[in-house]
Amino acid sequence: MRIAALSASLAALALAACGAVPERGGAAPSRPTSSAQTLPQPTGEALQCLAELGSTRAQFSPLPDKLQAGSCSTENTVRLSALHGDTGRFDVTNLTTVACPVAKDFAAWARFGVDRAARQILGSGLERIETMGSYSCRNVAGTNRLSAHSRAQAVDVSAFVLNDGRRITVQSGWNASPAERQFLRTIHSSACKRFGTVLGPDYNAAHRDHLHLEFGRGSFCR
């Protein structure tokens, strides 16, 4: 009974923190699947993650778990639309389905790594972080191994819009003005402290237009 009560309390806290009704998940997998089933109710660990994400004042909605037979799966995911920095809220685009632990790390990086760097280096806070999304049922390029995107455990970040209207893209800003170069390399380095794998334009041509932030242990930072 204690466990059930704790789970119920955490669930209530998480839902109260997100302040929204659960929304529909992300796009359907790009590969055909024979069937899909709803997984069991969230575990205590999953509920705890939702509560911790809510404590950051992020705007999100929990999503139902899904298992695609013989293919991709999404467990403990959320739809993430806005985050909080030191001085205010900023939007996040295209994160319709992202694993809660990734969203939690992303929220911390966005506040302490990106927003602070934008104000210190570029003289303006964040208005919006633009991403290419998280969940996508696909393999790692050139392999038969499923990508972290197939589990919604990675985010591809493409641009940053500042309060003063400037838009800094990874593709054009990586080798642009000294300030933009410093900003992008600073947030890249900051991401390496929070994510298991971080890939940017210096890694290969496939990452010339975004930062790939992947959940996990270890530190592969390029």
Side-chain angles (χ1 to χ4, degrees):
M1 294 298 292
R2 280 189 173 181
I3 295 175
L6 175 60
S7 296
S9 297
L10 287 172
L13 175 60
L15 292 174
C18 72
V21 176
E23 301 168 330
R24 185 185 307 175
S30 58
R31 64 178 67 188
T33 57
S34 57
S35 64
Q37 68 184 69
T38 301
L39 295 176
Q41 290 298 310
T43 63
E45 182 179 355
L47 292 171
Q48 182 65 37
C49 182
L50 293 174
E52 291 174 355
L53 179 60
S55 71
T56 70
R57 295 191 291 170
Q59 184 175 327
F60 67 97
S61 297
L63 300 173
D65 293 349
K66 294 292 183 180
L67 174 64
Q68 304 297 334
S71 184
C72 306
S73 63
T74 58
E75 297 183 59
N76 190 23
T77 57
V78 299
R79 180 186 182 97
L80 184 65
S81 57
L83 298 170
H84 259 270
D86 290 336
T87 60
R89 168 188 145 165
F90 48 87
D91 295 331
V92 179
T93 68
N94 297 323
L95 290 186
T96 55
T97 304
V98 58
C100 179
V102 179
K104 189 174 67 170
D105 288 347
F106 187 81
W109 172 71
R111 176 181 178 180
F112 300 113
V114 183
D115 187 46
R116 289 184 180 181
R119 285 185 281 110
Q120 292 170 5
I121 299 171
L122 301 174
S124 178
L126 280 178
E127 179 73 23
R128 182 171 68 251
I129 296 179
E130 298 179 357
T131 84
M132 297 176 175
S134 176
Y135 176 70
S136 178
C137 188
R138 67 173 188 258
N139 290 336
V140 175
T143 75
N144 293 320
R145 179 168 55 89
L146 284 173
S147 165
H149 285 288
S150 70
R151 302 182 300 278
Q153 292 184 350
V155 175
D156 289 340
V157 180
S158 58
F160 307 86
V161 178
L162 307 183
N163 292 146
D164 63 12
R166 282 178 290 171
R167 182 171 180 266
I168 312 299
T169 69
V170 174
Q171 183 167 14
S172 64
W174 194 255
N175 292 308
S177 70
E180 290 184 17
R181 289 167 56 93
Q182 182 184 357
F183 168 70
L184 290 173
R185 282 161 176 76
T186 296
I187 64 173
H188 177 277
S189 178
S190 176
C192 293
K193 299 174 183 178
R194 297 185 182 275
F195 296 91
T197 298
V198 177
L199 306 176
D202 287 342
Y203 180 59
N204 61 19
H207 294 83
R208 67 188 180 281
D209 58 355
H210 69 276
L211 301 179
H212 172 89
L213 314 179
E214 183 176 325
F215 181 76
R217 295 181 179 178
S219 181
F220 187 82
C221 182
R222 299 292 186 272

